Amino acid sequence: MLICRLCLTKTNDFKHLCDENGEDSEIYHITVKYFDPMMEELVPRLPVDKESVEFHNWKISYEKSHILKSICQKGQDDKCKEDNDEFCELCTYRHALELPHLPDMVFRKNKLTLQHPNGAVLEFLPMDALRSVENGKQPLQVACAQEWKESRPETLVEEKFKPFDWTFTTEYQGTVNKMFRIEKCEQKLNKFKLMQREKILFYHDLTLFEDELHDNGISSCSVKIRVMPSGFFILLRHFLRVDNVLLKMHDTRFHYEIENDYVFKEYTKREATYDELKKVPPPLFTLPNEIEQYMPIKEQMAYKLFFK
């Protein structure tokens, strides 16, 4: 017989807050979302997960930790003042982004960093990913706005259709410092080489932020990296699905081959309405890797990021 640490009720039915690898489970994120700030006392915080590897002069590292708190440290209906010397973690995001509200889950400490001895740094950060989301200072530019409003009850629209991009659509393409020299090019991603079987020296998958759009779909930004003997490959993806309206996918791929003095970058923007995808099996709508092939390319650009 166990005692629930949230309601103090005796029970034999329980769920683990962490998986077998010590990482947060889905139950943990639900608990944080609906019971924060009680979590500080109820659940011990796990240390930040960190790892780094050296690869052909590149130092590749990641950090992974918990989602951003949903309540200011000053209380449920309060927030840190602008003249404070220090903001709590939630108010740091509030003041920096000035969005009416943040995604359900912001993994504020999650980041992937690649550093070269010449000083070039390539990073993937949740704060920077959210900076390109439209806020109230600019006209609303959501392609699905009218269709979404027409497909929802009026009371629902009043509550959820805010004067900012409530889908948290971002065209974030990673963060580079000034030590890179960037040139636009006509080169294509070497998919043939990437499809060759190679030993995986290092792999990781990080979520930067995610929101379920009030149960009307999903908006997720994530980054994956894999390192092989021939080089490394990174996929930064923002995937948006607004149920019964449209899907968007913004992919930025980075491919470094050890014989080159540059990192190749390809940005691809895809978009399709549900009407355009009516012949596609609905289960694929929840699988970005599967639905991608059915979504037409709206924009594509390629660059070389020279670091020497």
Side-chain angles (χ1 to χ4, degrees), residues 66-257:
H66 307 277
I67 64 174
L68 184 69
K69 293 181 180 179
S70 60
I71 297 174
C72 173
Q73 64 181 9
K74 292 185 175 294
Q76 176 77 40
D77 301 316
D78 206 348
K79 63 180 180 179
C80 299
K81 305 301 182 184
E82 291 191 17
D83 56 356
N84 281 9
D85 291 334
E86 293 185 6
F87 291 134
C88 69
E89 59 183 47
L90 174 62
C91 290
T92 297
Y93 269 72
R94 282 175 169 171
H95 287 284
L97 299 172
E98 298 183 356
L99 294 173
H101 67 84
L102 298 172
D104 293 335
M105 294 188 288
V106 177
F107 296 85
R108 74 177 187 93
K109 290 187 177 180
N110 285 12
K111 69 175 181 178
L112 174 65
T113 305
L114 295 91
Q115 297 175 293
H116 192 271
N118 288 355
V121 179
L122 171 61
E123 292 185 291
F124 302 90
L125 309 166
M127 177 76 82
D128 287 355
L130 287 167
R131 286 188 193 278
S132 67
V133 175
E134 296 278 358
N135 63 28
K137 295 181 178 179
Q138 300 177 11
L140 183 64
Q141 295 178 355
V142 181
C144 62
Q146 190 58 38
E147 293 91 338
W148 187 88
K149 291 174 72 175
E150 291 175 354
S151 66
R152 297 292 185 268
E154 183 176 350
T155 55
L156 192 66
V157 171
E158 290 177 357
E159 177 187 355
K160 298 171 184 175
F161 195 68
K162 308 293 184 181
F164 83 112
D165 185 351
W166 53 271
T167 68
F168 298 105
T169 297
T170 176
E171 296 184 1
Y172 179 57
Q173 299 176 33
T175 303
V176 298
N177 69 358
K178 295 181 180 179
M179 299 304 292
F180 280 104
R181 177 169 55 87
I182 303 174
E183 294 184 3
K184 198 168 184 178
C185 66
E186 300 298 323
Q187 183 177 321
K188 297 294 184 182
L189 187 70
N190 192 343
K191 294 182 179 180
F192 176 76
K193 187 166 187 177
L194 288 171
M195 291 172 64
Q196 294 178 356
R197 296 179 67 90
E198 283 193 86
K199 181 180 179 180
I200 304 298
L201 305 177
F202 177 80
Y203 173 84
H204 210 75
D205 181 356
L206 291 171
T207 301
L208 301 183
F209 70 81
E210 185 174 308
D211 190 277
E212 295 182 350
L213 308 181
H214 300 279
D215 296 324
N216 291 302
I218 191 166
S219 176
S220 175
C221 186
S222 63
V223 59
K224 300 179 182 180
I225 181 171
R226 80 173 192 257
V227 181
M228 307 81 67
S230 67
F232 59 72
F233 175 70
I234 300 170
L235 171 60
L236 171 66
R237 167 172 288 172
H238 175 258
F239 176 68
L240 170 69
R241 186 190 77 249
V242 182
D243 292 336
N244 301 314
V245 180
L246 95 169
L247 293 96
K248 287 184 179 181
M249 191 178 296
H250 296 168
D251 285 347
T252 308
R253 293 174 168 86
F254 300 82
H255 187 200
Y256 168 65
E257 299 176 82

